[in-house]
Amino acid sequence: MASIIDPGLAKSLIQEFRTQNAAAGGPALKTKDDAHLHGYFIDRQSLETILSNPKVAGIHLYLAKHHECVGHKENKFTLVFTGSEPNPKFDKTSADAGKTEANKGIAPYIHRGDMYEFVPTCPPTCGGGDPGTGGG
């Protein structure tokens, strides 16, 4: 399960990614508008629709080529996301006991249902109080 982290640590980690992403020789992940990518915004309605399925345990996020940039060499990406359910073939008891061989090659969660895309990028859709800059 994800953990809440200190806001100062979050700001530091985000800023380090941004510095490395923009550096010469860095990955140079970009928005479709050619700005250095900082993140994405996922709307509440999409999340609530996915999470309204009682079988869904969480959400898988996948980096994917931006649909308007398919076939281009630039590093312009988007997110594709979907709800994920526990995999009935995954042996949670063995995993909790540290027995990794029991689940070799078996994912603990499998995605089901609709796949979502067309998420706005940051920039320009950055949140007020952006933890990477401290600004609004």
Side-chain angles (χ1 to χ4, degrees):
M1 187 166 106
S3 300
I4 296 172
I5 63 172
D6 176 79
L9 175 59
K11 180 178 178 177
S12 173
L13 295 172
I14 291 166
Q15 191 56 52
E16 186 166 341
F17 165 77
R18 291 179 181 180
T19 299
Q20 288 181 0
N21 189 45
L29 302 179
K30 302 279 187 107
T31 68
K32 72 174 183 70
D33 298 320
D34 214 34
H36 282 89
L37 180 65
H38 295 171
Y40 300 93
F41 173 80
I42 301 174
D43 66 279
R44 182 183 186 114
Q45 183 177 353
S46 297
L47 294 173
E48 286 181 347
T49 299
I50 292 170
L51 295 173
S52 69
N53 178 343
K55 293 180 180 179
V56 167
I59 296 174
H60 270 104
L61 301 171
Y62 298 97
L63 285 173
K65 189 71 172 184
H66 192 282
H67 67 277
E68 293 179 11
C69 302
V70 172
H72 298 255
K73 291 184 179 184
E74 296 93 345
N75 290 338
K76 296 181 180 182
F77 300 104
T78 189
L79 286 180
V80 172
F81 60 100
T82 186
S84 296
E85 301 174 10
N87 187 343
K89 295 179 182 176
F90 185 81
D91 182 353
K92 185 168 177 3
T93 304
S94 292
D96 290 345
K99 299 176 183 173
T100 57
E101 286 301 312
N103 289 310
K104 191 170 186 169
I106 301 173
Y109 300 96
I110 50 177
H111 58 79
R112 300 263 194 225
D114 295 329
M115 303 289 281
Y116 290 77
E117 201 263 340
F118 306 115
V119 293
T121 58
C122 167
T125 311
C126 298
D130 179 15
T133 63

